[in-house]
Amino acid sequence: MTSSTPSGPDLSTPSSSGADRFVDRHIGPRASHQGEMLQRLGHESLDSLMAAAVPEGIRSAELLGLPAAQSEQDALSRLRELSERNNPGIAMIGLGYHPTITPPVIRRNVLEDPSWYTAYTPYQPEISQGRLEALLNFQTMVSDLTGLPTSNSSLLDEGTAAAEALTLIRRATKGKDELPIVLDTRLLPQTLAVVRTRAEALGIDLLHLDLGQDPVPAGVAGSIIAYPAADGALTDPREAITASQADGGLAVVVADLLALVLVASPGSLGADVVVGSSQRFGVPMFYGGPHAGFMAVRAGLERHLPGRLVGVSVDAAGRPAYRLALQTREQHIRREKATSNICTAQVLLAVTASMYAVYHGAEGLQRIAHHTHAQAVQLAAGLRAGGVELTSDTFFDTVVAAVPGRAAGIVKAARADGIHLLLVDEDHVGVSTSESTTGEHVARVLAAFGLEGAAFGAAEPALPAGLLRTDAILTHPVFTEHRSETQMLRYLKKLSDRDYALDRGMIPLGSCTMKLNATAEMEPISWPGFADLHPFVPAEDASGFIELIEELESWLATVTGYAAVSVQPNAGSQGELAGLLAIRAYHRSNDDAQREVCLIPSSAHGTNAASAVMAGMRVVVVKATDRGEVDLDDLRAKCEQHSDDLAAIMVTYPSTHGVYEHGITELCDVVHQHGGQVYVDGANLNALLGHAKPGQFGGDVSHLNLHKTFCIPHGGGGPGVGPVGVAAHLAPFLPSHPLHPVEAKREGIGAISAAPYGSAGILPIPYAYVLMMGAEGLAEATSVAVLSANYVADRLNDAFPVLYAGENGLVAHECILDVRPLAKSSGISVDDVAKRLVDYGFHAPTMSFPVAGTLMVEPTESEDLAELDRFCEAMLAIRAEIDAVAAGELSAEDNPLVNAPHTARELLDWKHSYSIAAGVFPSGSTQDKYWPPVARIDQAYGDRNLTCACPPLEAFAE
C-alpha cells in the first residue's frame, strides 16, 4: 500500500538523490499540498484516508506485482528496443490496411498535438467548435465519396461498422425479423468475422453468398455487399443492390474510400447504406488500429445511424454553430432501447482523415488514386507478360495471382527482399498497391515471382468502364482553400484555438478521468516500428509488438486480479460486449443456454444495458437505495425470481454514484449462489488500482477503459481501448480472430474488432504508463485521486450538496454535486452552471449523469492544488451568483448564468443589465482568458433543421 506519509518531492528542499521519478511528474499535488488537503479532511496520511474510504473486505494486502518503476528515458529505451524488433517492410498485403503518407503538418499538428489529443467528447459544443468543424469535414468527405446525404462522425473500424449496419437493417426493416440477411463472402475476412459474431449473439440468420456470381434470392431483409471484393475484384453491384431492396429490404455496400475517388459512388448505384474505413486517408496502419470507420445512409435512415452525428444549429446570436445532433440516441439515455451500444468514436483519427482530404483536395486525392491504380495495373501487366494468370481482370489496387503450388515460395522470396505479400492459399498470392508504392516496388514483386527483368508494354486501366466516376467530389471551399502548408498550418491552429482541451486547464469530468497524457507516453506511437506495421504480417515480423501486448495483458491481469486479459476490444462498449459474450458462451458450454437475464442496477452506465441487449440478453433492472447503492433486498428478490435463467449482473465499482459500496462482496455472493456471473464494469478502476482487485473481491469479468485509468488520450471522443479481463473459467471464451498471429487464438467465440489486437497502435501509451509508474506509483495515483475528489467535495458541500458518500462520509475518485434545490429556488439550471464555468475558464463537469440536475466532478490525481482551488473558487462564485438571482439582485431573465458563455463579439454591443466585468471577467481580467467562439447553442433547432455537412460560407456572413 502507500506510505504512511504523503509522498512526492517537496520542491522547497532539494532531493538528496537527485532522482526524477515519473510519478512526481504525473501526480499534481506536491507532498506539502497533500498534507494540507489531508488535514482539511481530518486524516494524517494517504493510508489513513484510503483505509477509511475503501471497504476493508475488498482491500488487497499485497503490492501489484509489477516491474519496478523506470525513468522516462529507460522506458523509452525499452519501447525503442521493442519497436526495432518489428519488421514493417513494404506492406503490400492489403485486406483493408494500406501504407499511407500522413502529411507532416497533420502528423505534428493533429496526431501529436495535445490541443487535439487531450480534448474531450464535444458534449459542451460551445467550447468544441474546432473539432466539431473537423468532424463535419469528415462527414462531408464521406458523404461526397459514398454518394449518400448523411454520414456519422466515425465508428470504431470497418468490421464493427459493417456489424452496426447489420443491426441497422434489422431496426429499419419492420416485420422482417425472421428473414435472413445476405452476407457477401467476398468481404474482408475480418469483416466477415465481426459480423458473424454480432449476428450469432443477436440471433440474426445470415445467408452466405458470393455476390460476384450468386444472385440475391427473394425473401431477405437485406444484403451486405463488397465493393471491391477482398481479392480486389471490382464488379458492378447494381444487380445485388436492386435484388436486396425488393420487397423493402436494404442494401449495404462495404466500400474502399480511396477507390470511390475513381469509381461510381454506391449511392449513385442505389445503395441505402455504405460503410468502410478511412485508414488510408493519412492514418498509419498502427498494427490494426485505431482507425476511423464510417457509415453513410440515404435520406430517411438518419435516425437509425449508430454513433455520433455532428450537425449545424445556431447560437443565441443566431449565428451558425456546430453540435452533436440527435443526442437522444446516446446510450446513456436510451439504455436497453438504444440503437447500438456504441458511445464513443474515433475522433482523433477521423480528424486526421478529414484533414488529409482538406490538404489534398479532390485533385490531390485523384492523383493518389490514379497512382495507386496505375501501380496495380503495371504489376498485373508484368505478371501476365510472365505467363501468370490473375483471378480478376477488373480491380482498383489488388491483384491475386494464380501460382499453383508456388505461393509460399513467392511470399517467402518477397519477404526476404523486404516486401510483405498476402499468402491467400498454397496456390494464390495477393498483392495490393498504395500511394506509397513505387515502380521499384513493382519490379521487386515481379522478381519474387521469378519475373525479374520481365518486359511488358503500357497497360490499360482495369476499372470497369460502366463504373467510372463522373460527378464532382469535395467541392466545398474547405477542400480547395488550404493548399500551401502555411494555409494548412493556420487552419489547424485556428480550429484548435477554438477548443478547450486539457492543455488549457482542468476538465473535471466525472466518470471520464481526464488526467495527464504524458509526452513520453505519446512519443512511441509515431515510431515506424509501431506505426507502419501491417496487422497481418507474420508473427516473427511483429515480435516486439506481440511481446509488448502480451506483457501489457499480463500486467492488466495482475492489477485486476483476473487470470487472463484480451486487448482486442477497441472501446469500452466493445469490452462490455466481449465480456458478456464470454459469460454467454460459458453458460452454453455448461448446457445452461436458458441463462439469458442480465441484472443491471438502475444507476448503471447506459451502455451496460445496451451491451446486454447486443449480447442477446434480457435486461432486468435492480433498484438503488436512497444512498445510491444497489438495493440488496431487491437484488435478492430478482435473483430468486430468475434463479433458473440468471446469466449475470453488471455492476460498476466504485458505483456510478462515486461511492465505494460496502455491500459489493455480498452482491457477488448472492449472484453466484443463483448461478450468475458478476461483471464488474471497470470504468472507475482509477479508484481501485493498487488497493483492490475486482477479480479478487468477486468479479468474474471486467472491461477496463485504458483511455481513463491508463492515460490513453481521449482525442476529442476517441480513440479508446476496452480490454476485457476474465477469471480462469472464462478464459477459453475470450475474443478470437481468424487471422490472429497466435494460431491458438484463431478459433473461439469470434472477433469483436477488425484487428486481432484491436487498436494496437496506442497500446505503447499504457505500457509506458505502467512501466514508469510501477506498482507503488499506481497505488499512489489512486490515493491522490481519492484525496483530490474528497477535497473538492468538502470545499463545495455547503454550496452544492454532495449527493452520495460512503459510510465514513467519503467519496471515491469523484463526487456528485446537487444543483436541483438551487434550480427550484432560483430557476438556474445545471446547464446554466455548466455554461457559466466557461466564463471562469473551465470545462464543465459531467452534467445530469447519473442523476438529472447534478454535476459529477472527477478532479483526478494530475491536477495540482492551485487548479483544484481555482475550480472550487469558481464554483463558489457561481453559487453566489445563483443566490443573487434568487434574491432578486440579478434579473431572472438577464443574468450572467442564463446568458453564459459570453463571447468577445458581445463586447462590441453590450446589451446586458450587468457589467461587462461581471459577465466576461468573473475571475478578473487575464491575458490568458479563453474566449468561446460561439454563444449558447440552440440544441433543438439543430434537430428540427438537420444539416450534417459543411454549410456554405455565406451562412457565416454577418
Side-chain angles (χ1 to χ4, degrees), residues 28 50 96 150 352 419 429 489 501 791:
M50 295 306 289
T150 306
T352 300
I419 297 178
V429 175
L489 178 66
Y791 176 79

Side-chain angles (χ1 to χ4, degrees), residues 27-62:
I27 292 177
R30 303 294 84 201
S32 59
H33 293 153
Q34 291 177 31
E36 293 176 30
M37 297 160 72
L38 286 163
Q39 184 176 18
R40 182 182 181 100
L41 298 174
H43 286 275
E44 296 180 353
S45 67
L46 290 175
D47 269 358
S48 167
L49 173 69
M50 295 306 289
V54 182
E56 184 177 1
I58 71 168
R59 275 182 252 151
S60 300
E62 78 279 8

Side-chain angles (χ1 to χ4, degrees), residues 373-630:
H373 181 60
Q375 297 302 316
V377 166
Q378 287 296 107
L379 174 64
L383 291 170
R384 289 195 187 101
V388 177
E389 291 187 8
L390 305 181
T391 59
S392 178
D393 292 329
T394 56
F395 51 83
F396 168 61
D397 65 354
T398 298
V399 297
V400 172
V403 286
R406 297 198 300 129
I410 291 169
V411 171
K412 182 179 180 180
R415 180 172 175 269
D417 192 29
I419 297 178
H420 293 299
L421 305 181
L422 176 65
L423 180 62
V424 179
D425 55 37
E426 62 183 12
D427 299 324
H428 295 88
V429 175
V431 189
S432 292
T433 58
S434 68
E435 69 170 311
S436 300
T437 304
T438 66
E440 179 196 356
H441 297 157
V442 171
R444 287 161 63 183
V445 171
L446 291 173
F449 278 83
L451 303 175
E452 189 170 7
F456 53 92
E460 293 297 319
L463 302 175
L467 289 179
L468 294 179
R469 184 154 202 154
T470 58
D471 57 323
I473 58 171
L474 305 183
T475 57
H476 190 276
V478 74
F479 298 108
T480 62
E481 292 181 343
H482 306 97
R483 285 297 163 270
S484 74
E485 180 158 331
T486 300
Q487 292 170 308
M488 191 70 195
L489 178 66
R490 289 173 181 165
Y491 181 57
L492 293 173
K493 179 64 174 172
K494 178 178 72 173
L495 294 188
S496 66
D497 280 350
R498 291 176 179 174
D499 285 5
Y500 189 103
L502 202 62
D503 64 328
R504 285 186 183 272
M506 182 182 183
I507 301 181
L509 283 152
S511 189
C512 290
T513 316
M514 298 293 294
K515 60 184 178 182
L516 172 68
N517 310 126
T519 305
E521 296 158 9
M522 298 297 297
E523 276 186 348
I525 68 170
S526 296
W527 294 347
F530 293 139
D532 296 342
L533 197 64
H534 193 287
F536 303 141
V537 297
E540 56 266 35
D541 291 309
S543 62
F545 224 141
I546 292 172
E547 181 173 329
L548 180 154
I549 291 167
E550 291 180 347
E551 201 165 9
L552 178 62
E553 287 178 338
S554 73
W555 293 347
L556 295 176
T558 296
V559 301
T560 56
Y562 287 114
V565 168
S566 168
V567 297
Q568 187 185 123
N570 52 5
S573 59
Q574 304 305 91
E576 291 181 9
L577 180 60
L580 291 169
L581 290 179
I583 290 172
R584 185 171 177 266
Y586 169 73
H587 285 312
R588 292 189 171 194
S589 73
N590 293 329
D591 295 325
D592 282 334
Q594 81 285 355
R595 291 192 176 275
E596 60 176 15
V597 168
C598 186
L599 302 178
I600 296 184
S602 59
S603 62
H605 195 282
T607 57
N608 288 172
S611 293
V613 172
M614 296 293 131
M617 294 183 180
R618 180 161 51 92
V619 173
V620 173
V621 177
V622 177
K623 296 177 183 176
T625 67
D626 291 340
R627 291 167 55 90
E629 301 182 353
V630 175

Side-chain angles (χ1 to χ4, degrees), residues 920-939:
V920 177
F921 301 106
S923 299
S925 178
T926 169
Q927 62 182 0
D928 299 319
K929 175 180 169 58
Y930 169 75
W931 291 97
V934 296
R936 194 173 309 193
I937 295 172
D938 186 334
Q939 298 281 9

Side-chain angles (χ1 to χ4, degrees), residues 148-389:
L148 292 174
T150 306
S151 163
N152 65 12
S153 63
S154 78
L155 290 169
L156 299 175
D157 56 32
E158 180 173 305
T160 53
E164 293 292 334
L166 179 82
T167 54
L168 184 151
I169 292 174
R170 184 60 80 227
R171 291 192 304 272
T173 54
K174 301 300 183 184
K176 299 183 183 296
D177 291 356
E178 303 303 318
L179 297 181
I181 295 173
V182 175
L183 191 63
D184 191 345
T185 56
R186 304 176 308 147
L187 292 166
L188 298 171
Q190 66 270 25
T191 300
L192 289 169
V194 175
V195 172
R196 287 166 179 158
T197 301
R198 192 72 63 89
E200 196 278 334
L202 292 170
I204 297 175
D205 185 19
L206 295 178
L207 185 59
H208 294 80
L209 295 173
D210 179 343
L211 295 183
Q213 55 185 10
D214 300 329
V216 174
V220 299
S223 300
I224 303 180
I225 305 162
Y227 180 65
D231 65 358
L234 189 60
T235 56
D236 194 330
R238 272 176 279 213
E239 186 175 332
I241 289 172
T242 301
S244 302
Q245 294 167 336
D247 195 29
L250 295 182
V252 176
V253 171
V254 184
D256 181 303
L257 207 58
L258 187 61
L260 296 184
V261 173
L262 300 183
V263 302
S265 69
S268 70
L269 302 178
D272 300 293
V273 182
V274 181
V275 299
S277 170
S278 61
Q279 178 267 313
R280 65 194 313 177
F281 275 43
V283 180
M285 288 181 288
F286 283 139
Y287 199 42
H291 302 139
F294 64 82
M295 178 183 287
V297 298
R298 64 162 168 78
L301 293 177
E302 302 91 345
R303 293 177 187 272
H304 292 287
L305 265 173
R308 295 181 181 141
L309 183 65
V310 176
V312 183
S313 189
V314 295
D315 72 357
R319 293 178 56 79
Y322 309 121
R323 32 78 77 181
L324 292 178
L326 304 180
Q327 281 188 292
T328 55
R329 297 172 309 131
E330 284 290 342
Q331 314 326 318
H332 301 74
I333 301 167
R334 299 201 62 180
R335 300 172 66 83
E336 68 269 20
K337 295 182 176 62
T339 58
S340 162
N341 74 331
I342 297 294
C343 74
T344 186
Q346 296 283 26
V347 173
L348 187 65
L349 298 316
V351 169
T352 300
S354 76
M355 292 307 170
Y356 181 89
V358 169
Y359 181 81
H360 287 294
E363 300 85 357
L365 292 182
Q366 287 162 351
R367 283 195 303 272
I368 292 168
H370 279 298
H371 170 83
T372 299
H373 181 60
Q375 297 302 316
V377 166
Q378 287 296 107
L379 174 64
L383 291 170
R384 289 195 187 101
V388 177
E389 291 187 8

